[in-house]
Amino acid sequence: MTYYISNDPSYWPYLEWIHRYNYFIVATLTIVIYDWVLTFAQEFELILKQRCSIMNVLYVCVRYSGMLVSIIYILLDFQISITDPGCNILWFMLVWTSLIINAMLGVIMTTRIYAMYQGSKRILIFLIVVLLACTIASVVMTVIGNIGASGVENILSGHRRCSENMSAEDIRLNAEITVPTTVWEILVLCLAAWIVIKHFRELNQSQAGANIRECFMVLMRGHMLYFVVFAAVSCFNLGTLFPSLLSSSVGASFYYGINEVAQAIQMFVLGPRLILSIREYHAQLAESSDEATCFTTIDYP
């Protein structure tokens, strides 16, 4: 077992930075669990009680991985003794879990856009190709950025913490991993906005068109809120490339903490709600016997 032990007072500002950042980690776990409690009744009726499907599996993976990621952060940053191999495992679990969840969210978005384009095989192939390209780019950047990284347990003035050893270039590359995902999200937002505007023009006069417009609005509302938070997270991630945010200042700790909370909301709160909102609306349509006017036109699993 390898320790880095120091009682150097120069590390105290860094320890204060970690202490402030930990408040945001706890807030992140609290938000994820609170949202899970709020929506569990809907989840049970609309997801868990239904027959197994790809969307159900994706929902469960995205929803419950949020709790896992938050717990990993707690294990990394709180006063818990972990060996160097344990630090390595936790670090790489954190890195790859985020990448895998973003890929799952990409599949959910692909399904939504495919449904909005009324099952167009051309748009489906286009989305799959772009999603694969962006995911592969993120995987390659992740591998390169972490190939030399290693976890080590630090004991600084009696405070234990797992940290990763990597060069400044690798840190920068890890911050740039979100660029391909950002490109993907901008693309699907533009495709969603285009088809909504197109259908609004075509169906403006008919009663059936009003029902279909409502379906598109349900899809678009969830998409827009998700994209706004994702855009904020991307800006925060790109902002970490500035050297001024590598300090142990109060502002830097709040910046990283707010970024952590926003990313958790985007991935583990709004991500599952992309599926849950459609399932809930579908159930409401079925109860009012209007399903045939909408989801026969917009086929969402």
Side-chain angles (χ1 to χ4, degrees), residues 209-230:
N211 292 330
I212 296 173
R213 280 200 305 274
E214 187 178 354
C215 297
F216 275 104
M217 287 304 299
V218 171
L219 287 165
M220 201 61 187
R221 276 198 300 268
H223 197 144
M224 282 298 297
L225 182 59
Y226 173 86
F227 180 79
V228 167
V229 177
F230 179 87

Side-chain angles (χ1 to χ4, degrees), residues 27-36 63 66-67 70 264 268-269:
T28 296
L29 180 59
T30 303
I31 290 171
V32 172
I33 293 178
Y34 178 70
D35 183 73
W36 172 70
R63 167 62 82 186
M67 300 177 194
S70 298
F268 308 122
V269 175

Side-chain angles (χ1 to χ4, degrees), residues 24-297:
F24 290 95
I25 298 300
V26 174
T28 296
L29 180 59
T30 303
I31 290 171
V32 172
I33 293 178
Y34 178 70
D35 183 73
W36 172 70
V37 172
L38 284 181
T39 60
F40 182 75
Q42 296 169 296
E43 175 184 321
F44 183 77
E45 290 295 328
L46 303 174
I47 303 293
L48 301 180
K49 285 182 65 176
Q50 305 300 316
R51 62 181 177 82
C52 184
S53 68
I54 294 177
M55 287 297 110
N56 289 359
V57 172
L58 290 175
Y59 177 93
V60 171
C61 290
V62 174
R63 167 62 82 186
Y64 291 96
S65 62
M67 300 177 194
L68 174 63
V69 169
S70 298
I71 291 171
I72 291 175
Y73 268 117
I74 290 174
L75 293 175
L76 287 172
D77 290 332
F78 281 73
Q79 294 286 334
I80 301 173
S81 179
I82 303 176
T83 62
D84 286 353
C87 289
N88 265 325
I89 292 171
L90 290 176
W91 169 250
F92 285 107
M93 281 181 63
L94 186 63
V95 170
W96 288 103
T97 298
S98 298
L99 186 64
I100 292 170
I101 294 305
N102 274 320
M104 290 181 177
L105 291 171
V107 174
I108 295 172
M109 281 295 183
T110 297
T111 307
R112 288 170 69 91
I113 300 300
Y114 175 66
M116 295 172 75
Y117 278 79
Q118 301 179 10
S120 170
K121 291 185 178 180
R122 181 177 300 179
I123 197 70
L124 177 62
I125 293 172
F126 173 73
L127 289 170
I128 291 174
V129 170
V130 175
L131 178 60
L132 282 175
C134 292
T135 302
I136 291 171
S138 296
V139 169
V140 171
M141 294 171 70
T142 301
V143 171
I144 295 174
N146 292 277
I147 197 168
S150 61
V152 62
E153 183 179 8
N154 297 327
I155 304 178
L156 306 176
S157 299
H159 294 266
R160 296 177 179 271
R161 182 181 185 270
C162 277
S163 63
E164 66 284 350
N165 290 326
M166 58 175 59
S167 65
E169 291 78 9
D170 290 340
I171 293 175
R172 184 180 182 86
L173 186 59
N174 273 277
E176 294 173 349
I177 289 172
T178 57
V179 173
T181 309
T182 303
V183 172
W184 161 257
E185 292 291 344
I186 292 174
L187 172 65
V188 295
L189 178 69
C190 292
L191 289 173
W194 165 254
I195 196 64
V196 167
I197 293 171
K198 178 182 178 183
H199 275 275
F200 273 19
R201 289 177 177 176
E202 293 176 352
L203 305 171
N204 195 37
Q205 302 300 323
S206 65
Q207 180 63 35
N211 292 330
I212 296 173
R213 280 200 305 274
E214 187 178 354
C215 297
F216 275 104
M217 287 304 299
V218 171
L219 287 165
M220 201 61 187
R221 276 198 300 268
H223 197 144
M224 282 298 297
L225 182 59
Y226 173 86
F227 180 79
V228 167
V229 177
F230 179 87
V233 170
S234 297
C235 291
F236 274 113
N237 287 334
L238 294 176
T240 60
L241 298 174
F242 291 96
S244 60
L245 289 174
L246 297 177
S247 66
S248 298
S249 65
V250 174
S253 63
F254 275 85
Y255 184 93
Y256 281 94
I258 293 172
N259 180 33
E260 191 62 41
V261 173
Q263 188 168 10
I265 292 174
Q266 174 247 324
M267 295 178 68
F268 308 122
V269 175
L270 297 179
R273 284 175 179 263
L274 291 173
I275 297 176
L276 200 60
S277 62
I278 298 300
R279 292 291 178 86
E280 183 178 12
Y281 184 64
H282 188 284
Q284 292 173 356
L285 287 175
E287 289 178 2
S288 60
S289 301
D290 289 335
E291 184 176 5
T293 64
C294 180
F295 275 90
T296 52
T297 304

